[in-house]
Amino acid sequence: MTPGRGAAARIEIAADAEELARRAAGEVVAALSAALDRRPSASWVLAGGATPRRLYRRLAARPQALDWSRVELYWGDERCLPPDDERSNFRLARQTLLAALPFAGPRVHRIRGEQSPPVAAEEYQREIAAALARGPFDLVLLGLGADGHTASLFPGWVALPGALAAAVEAPVEPRRRVTLTAAALRRCRRLLFLVAGRDKAVAVARALDPARSGEVSAALRPSAGDTVWLLDRAAAAEL
Ligand code: 6PG
């Protein structure tokens, strides 16, 4: 995949986990508010893993910051598990964010991990195609693995022409997953990477090295948007 022509990334380094969550919440509210100032609704693709937990809790503590009834939520990937499984990315968001939002809250488009991977991927392909037919995502939030993976696009991933969602076999448990493809993830107005921890520092340095185009994140530069990297000091240690 050749990287997109998006603008250079903005990199911010937070002193600790709390400041990282505070800055991330500011980025989310700013991106979605800007969308709601211009359009009837805003679309946000959530990340999985553990890093976003503090961010989701911080947003839940200030529900008045956004008109959540006009926000459409999607996921960048999901483990193929029931939604109440403790490893489910949807469950993380439901427990930390969704449960605290007003009843007339966001429209939730979850990946149905309880389905077989091909069925869930096919269903989400249609869901994402419909979303992108209305325009790019306003915000895509992604984490980064120590091996450089993001969403469930792991090193050695292959571009799947025309696919927006795909069933994949991850090299780590839980192995069966559905992920948005690079082609879907880069269709956004803002791409926000949220990364914490010393174990991610090498992957961050590789992702931000302009000489390396093979990194998954290098393929995700938004074609018509910008990229922000929010890091804690430990994850920025190799920059
Ligand atoms: C997942 C995520 C994955 C995650 C990274 C970082 O389903 O696991 O989509 O891409 O963002 O692995 O995970 P941590 O935030 O737990 O370090």
Side-chain angles (χ1 to χ4, degrees):
M1 289 278 288
T2 50
R5 298 175 303 283
R10 170 164 53 94
I11 302 167
E12 291 196 17
I13 300 172
D16 55 31
E18 204 45 48
E19 184 190 338
L20 187 67
R22 181 179 60 75
R23 289 188 185 211
E27 291 287 342
V28 171
V29 170
L32 298 184
S33 298
L36 293 176
D37 287 347
R38 296 172 177 79
R39 289 175 292 278
S41 65
S43 53
W44 177 20
V45 177
L46 277 73
T51 304
R53 185 184 299 273
R54 277 180 191 261
L55 161 63
Y56 296 160
R57 285 206 174 112
R58 194 172 185 93
L59 290 170
R62 297 163 180 80
Q64 69 283 3
L66 281 169
D67 179 356
W68 287 98
S69 68
R70 295 168 59 203
V71 176
E72 307 270 341
L73 295 182
Y74 300 86
W75 274 258
D77 72 329
E78 184 57 279
R79 293 89 179 272
C80 290
L81 305 155
D84 55 359
D85 187 295
E86 62 181 12
R87 299 163 293 172
S88 161
N89 289 336
F90 167 77
R91 181 177 183 270
L92 168 71
R94 182 177 61 192
Q95 284 199 319
T96 54
L97 175 57
L98 303 184
L101 295 183
F103 180 72
R107 184 145 158 63
V108 171
H109 307 266
R110 72 177 180 89
I111 300 169
R112 294 204 307 156
E114 66 275 25
Q115 301 274 5
S116 73
V119 170
E122 177 55 37
E123 187 180 87
Y124 218 57
Q125 168 81 21
R126 290 195 296 273
E127 185 97 63
I128 296 302
L132 292 175
R134 295 191 291 272
F137 295 118
D138 292 299
L139 176 65
V140 169
L141 174 70
L142 289 173
L144 189 73
D147 62 357
H149 82 266
T150 193
S152 284
L153 301 173
F154 286 83
W157 67 289
V158 290
L160 303 164
L164 298 170
V168 296
E169 188 77 15
V172 292
E173 293 296 341
R175 291 181 181 271
R176 302 195 316 165
R177 305 190 182 199
V178 171
T179 185
L180 291 198
T181 61
L185 291 168
R186 59 198 294 265
R187 295 271 295 279
C188 63
R189 293 184 172 94
R190 170 151 297 168
L191 178 58
L192 174 60
F193 282 97
L194 182 65
V195 191
R198 185 68 180 82
D199 61 323
K200 311 291 180 72
V202 170
V204 167
R206 286 178 173 169
L208 289 170
D209 179 350
R212 299 176 71 99
S213 62
E215 302 302 309
V216 174
S217 45
L220 297 183
R221 284 196 194 98
S223 47
D226 57 19
T227 303
V228 179
W229 285 79
L230 280 184
L231 310 169
D232 70 357
R233 282 192 181 135
E238 298 286 336
L239 292 183

